[in-house]
Amino acid sequence: DARVTQTPRHKVTEMGQEVTMRCQPILGHNTVFWYRQTMMQGLELLAYFRNRAPLDDSGMPKDRFSAEMPDATLATLKIQPSEPRDSAVYFCASGTNTEAFFGQGTRLTVV
Amino acid sequence: DQQVKQNSPSLSVQEGRISILNCDYTNSMFDYFLWYKKYPAEGPTFLISISSIKDKNEDGRFTVFLNKSAKHLSLHIVPSQPGDSAVYFCAASDPTFSGGYNKLIFGAGTRLAVHP
């Protein structure tokens, strides 16, 4: 049963600390997305990779967020330094052409 | 500026009745639309989609209608069941994205509650 795996599922951290979220996309998918779910904005696209190359990260605060795909089985989203307003659920999704399959998300709380 | 809008944050429907969830979009270049369903503590899962060349797509109890002139789509669930209670996200695929891959743009979601 192929699925997108995200770790950790929950993270509580203090303001100013570095946070790294990890995602294992579905094998064979060449596209990876990072989304953030907030009450007001719904699912916001933060970053988007195709064949491991970043194509769009315009949704990310550049000064503190970074997204990478060191290999085809791992995507990372890093926040440094974290701030309380970063508290949200972060979803990774991998896809084929027009459909995205989501992981269960990482619930981040920055206190 | 949200390109995909779901103006109803919540909807309550009685079991057995029809649920209608609405979605509006602003970009006439969008060529593919999807509905995702999300339960608490889980990621969104794909539910149903429709191409812009069609005006209706049906899958069991779920039907999506597309009105291109109004830039509006809707998801009909009939009959509604308590297990349908979830957050429903509308998404549009942007083919003009320069990356060569259709970018999915999501609405804010509508929380559906189906009560007995």
Side-chain angles (χ1 to χ4, degrees):
Chain A
D1 183 22
R3 63 181 68 185
V4 175
T5 304
Q6 288 186 249
T7 56
R9 291 293 310 278
H10 303 273
K11 176 72 176 178
V12 180
T13 190
E14 291 184 345
M15 181 174 64
Q17 296 297 305
E18 177 179 300
V19 175
T20 299
M21 291 168 270
R22 293 177 173 79
C23 169
Q24 181 176 354
I26 293 173
L27 191 65
H29 285 184
N30 63 354
T31 311
V32 173
F33 306 86
W34 282 103
Y35 284 91
R36 174 170 63 183
Q37 183 186 10
T38 62
M39 291 296 293
M40 297 304 295
Q41 298 292 329
L43 287 167
E44 300 175 84
L45 179 65
L46 297 176
Y48 153 36
F49 290 78
R50 188 179 192 197
N51 294 325
R52 295 176 53 202
L55 293 187
D56 182 10
D57 59 3
S58 59
M60 266 187 347
K62 298 290 191 301
D63 56 338
R64 299 184 300 108
F65 283 59
S66 62
E68 296 180 348
M69 274 200 79
D71 61 62
T73 64
L74 177 64
T76 62
L77 180 66
K78 188 176 295 186
I79 308 174
Q80 167 64 21
S82 57
E83 297 180 1
R85 59 179 167 151
D86 300 329
S87 298
V89 181
Y90 291 80
F91 288 103
C92 173
S94 68
T96 53
N97 190 21
T98 55
E99 189 175 330
F101 297 83
F102 285 79
Q104 292 184 293
T106 294
R107 180 175 294 278
L108 174 65
T109 304
V110 183
V111 297
Chain B
D1 180 31
Q2 286 193 310
Q3 298 187 67
V4 178
K5 298 179 184 178
Q6 293 177 257
N7 292 318
S8 298
S10 63
L11 175 67
S12 182
V13 171
Q14 190 171 21
E15 181 178 6
R17 300 290 186 100
I18 185 171
S19 296
I20 301 177
L21 297 100
N22 294 303
C23 179
D24 296 292
Y25 60 96
T26 58
N27 189 339
S28 58
M29 297 300 292
F30 290 158
D31 66 350
Y32 196 74
F33 303 89
L34 307 91
W35 285 93
Y36 279 79
K37 177 178 177 179
K38 184 185 178 303
Y39 291 118
E42 294 184 10
T45 55
F46 170 75
L47 185 60
I48 192 169
S49 62
I50 188 167
S51 166
S52 61
I53 63 174
K54 294 186 174 183
D55 54 20
K56 177 182 174 181
N57 187 27
E58 191 172 350
D59 183 3
R61 297 185 297 114
F62 302 91
T63 303
V64 56
F65 295 92
L66 175 62
N67 183 333
K68 287 189 293 294
S69 60
K71 296 191 184 70
H72 177 84
L73 66 155
S74 60
L75 174 68
H76 293 212
I77 307 172
V78 55
S80 302
Q81 299 174 355
D84 297 328
S85 298
V87 176
Y88 289 79
F89 289 99
C90 169
S93 177
D94 181 359
T96 64
F97 180 59
S98 62
Y101 182 90
N102 293 14
K103 180 176 176 179
L104 283 183
I105 300 171
F106 284 83
T110 296
R111 183 177 300 278
L112 173 66
V114 180
H115 52 89

